[in-house]
Amino acid sequence: VISINGATGEVIKNPIEVKIPKLEGELGTLLGWADQEEGVMKVLANADSGPDATQAAGNGAQGIGLCRTEHMFFSPERLPVVRRWIFHNEELDDFEHIKEFQRSDFKELFKAMNNMHVTIRLLDPPLHEFLPRPEQVHEKVAEELGFGKDVKRMLARMDSMHEENPMLGLRGCRLGIVKPEFTKMQAEAIISAAADFMEEAPGIANPHPRIMIPLIGSINEYKNQALIIKREAERIRAERGIDVQYEIGTMIEVPRAAIISDKIANLKDDADGKPLCNFFSYGTNDLTQMTMGISRDDSNGFIPKYLEIGIFDDDPFQTIDEEGVGFMVKHSVE
């Protein structure tokens, strides 16, 4: 057994006693100032599990600003189910299992953050991130994932799904448009989880789900997904007779979405005339990559030199580029 100091990277040969860190010192002071500015600034957590959300609430978080739903799928008992669905999306049993995983997890988030907003981003990463690498495929894996022991057939299926540039490929809202049943399933899981909590603790439970559509670049992309979510949410509210309060919005991370933010914000549902977009969030990592044409994962080969000789004053993935990326965010907000 070894121990690793996560702050320094130091590897210690023997196990050492650990304790849960507390918000103290300068960070505690800074977050305390934020708490004092009620109605002006809120510190929200990134969390995608009940325990993480509970710990965040205990540290003073006033809601969840980003729940990355894809993180819910990477546990060893869940990953094979997701992989089977990706390979054979006609497998309805696996689809139902995925929905129930999410429904259970979302309820735990709502419990931990009762009376506070929980912003849930629909599934975003490229599908290849869920799949095994070719060298990991053997007869047992092929059998587990529905290919019998036919390793060649499984590898051929993986090859057919290959994308040259997956970060700009089938991900985000594009996945939900190509496979609308996936957006519908996630919306059902979120609203059902909120209804479950309200039914379980009447008068106490007060969940506030905010459903965030990722990687939109056009009005039609947003409207397509928002209407699927709204129709599913309203169906569940009517069937269960529970008034779940929810919001639908998007993460602005594609430059084109920042440019047309006013049009997205003003979208209305033709059926009832009500607004279709209730909030924006800003994904500055992807917005920086697409605005500056720099891959964050590959930038270490030149950014240190850029900083050394003064091409860049700061690493754009550490400090927002005010002239370019900052301008996009400011334009969107205004």
Side-chain angles (χ1 to χ4, degrees):
V1 178
I2 63 171
S3 302
I4 299 176
N5 184 329
T8 66
E10 181 183 9
V11 178
I12 301 162
K13 187 175 181 181
N14 300 308
I16 61 173
E17 184 180 355
V18 296
K19 61 181 180 180
I20 298 174
K22 296 180 179 179
L23 289 177
E24 299 173 334
E26 293 179 351
L27 177 59
T29 300
L30 177 63
L31 295 179
W33 290 343
D35 289 340
Q36 292 169 18
E37 298 298 324
E38 188 173 353
V40 177
M41 178 179 290
K42 292 183 179 180
V43 177
L44 309 178
N46 282 6
D48 42 71
S49 71
D52 285 351
T54 299
Q55 183 175 347
N59 286 334
Q62 297 181 48
I64 293 178
L66 178 59
C67 167
R68 297 178 174 92
T69 51
E70 57 271 11
H71 288 186
M72 296 175 169
F73 296 143
F74 287 118
S75 63
E77 68 276 9
R78 296 183 177 186
L79 191 53
V81 177
V82 178
R83 285 173 169 174
R84 281 196 300 271
W85 178 78
I86 291 171
F87 283 127
H88 321 281
N89 56 32
E90 71 279 2
E91 296 290 340
L92 296 181
D93 286 346
D94 287 334
F95 200 60
E96 285 299 310
H97 286 148
I98 293 170
K99 182 173 69 178
E100 292 309 313
F101 291 157
Q102 291 206 305
R103 183 170 175 170
S104 172
D105 288 348
F106 292 143
K107 187 168 96 168
E108 294 306 308
L109 293 179
F110 296 142
K111 283 183 176 180
M113 293 289 174
N114 194 27
N115 296 309
M116 293 180 276
H117 287 118
V118 175
T119 304
I120 299 167
R121 184 179 69 187
L122 301 185
L123 189 68
D124 181 39
L127 293 183
H128 80 277
E129 292 191 6
F130 292 109
L131 303 181
R133 296 190 300 274
E135 63 270 20
Q136 294 175 319
V137 177
H138 48 73
E139 287 187 355
K140 185 178 179 181
V141 171
E143 188 171 20
E144 180 184 47
L145 298 182
F147 291 91
K149 294 184 179 180
D150 194 340
V151 172
K152 287 185 178 179
R153 187 162 67 93
M154 180 173 170
L155 289 172
R157 178 77 174 102
M158 290 171 62
D159 187 61
S160 72
M161 300 171 70
H162 173 75
E163 293 180 298
E164 293 296 336
N165 192 348
M167 296 311 291
L168 295 178
L170 184 60
R171 58 170 288 211
C173 69
R174 299 162 192 166
L175 177 62
I177 291 169
V178 173
K179 298 178 182 290
E181 70 276 9
F182 209 64
T183 297
K184 184 178 178 181
M185 177 273 288
Q186 292 177 91
E188 180 181 351
I190 293 168
I191 302 302
S192 294
D196 293 343
F197 181 32
M198 293 172 73
E199 201 170 62
E200 185 181 284
I204 298 172
N206 187 25
H208 289 277
R210 308 177 92 192
I211 304 173
M212 187 161 68
I213 303 166
L215 209 73
I216 66 112
S218 72
I219 295 170
N220 287 337
E221 283 179 323
Y222 180 83
K223 190 171 184 179
N224 173 285
Q225 293 292 280
L227 287 173
I228 291 173
I229 293 165
K230 181 176 178 179
R231 301 293 182 258
E232 192 63 19
E234 293 303 314
R235 178 187 68 80
I236 294 166
R237 279 163 39 110
E239 287 180 358
R240 298 189 60 171
I242 298 177
D243 186 21
V244 177
Q245 296 298 305
Y246 67 94
E247 296 176 78
I248 305 172
T250 189
M251 179 175 277
I252 302 295
E253 49 196 329
V254 175
R256 191 176 190 278
I259 293 169
I260 61 169
S261 290
D262 58 331
K263 294 180 174 64
I264 297 168
N266 289 321
L267 273 174
K268 288 184 169 49
D269 184 349
D270 295 335
D272 58 18
K274 294 182 179 179
L276 267 181
C277 185
N278 306 115
F279 69 92
F280 284 162
S281 179
Y282 291 86
T284 52
N285 279 327
D286 271 330
L287 191 57
T288 296
Q289 292 192 97
M290 295 189 208
T291 301
M292 301 188 71
I294 297 175
S295 165
R296 181 181 56 171
D297 295 333
D298 302 308
S299 63
N300 197 49
F302 63 90
I303 282 186
K305 186 66 175 180
Y306 272 36
L307 295 173
E308 179 188 332
I309 64 176
I311 300 293
F312 285 169
D313 292 328
D314 299 288
D315 183 336
F317 295 105
Q318 299 295 326
T319 301
I320 290 179
D321 160 48
E322 293 185 20
E323 288 184 338
V325 178
F327 174 83
M328 287 286 185
V329 173
K330 183 180 179 183
H331 174 84
S332 173
V333 170
E334 291 177 344

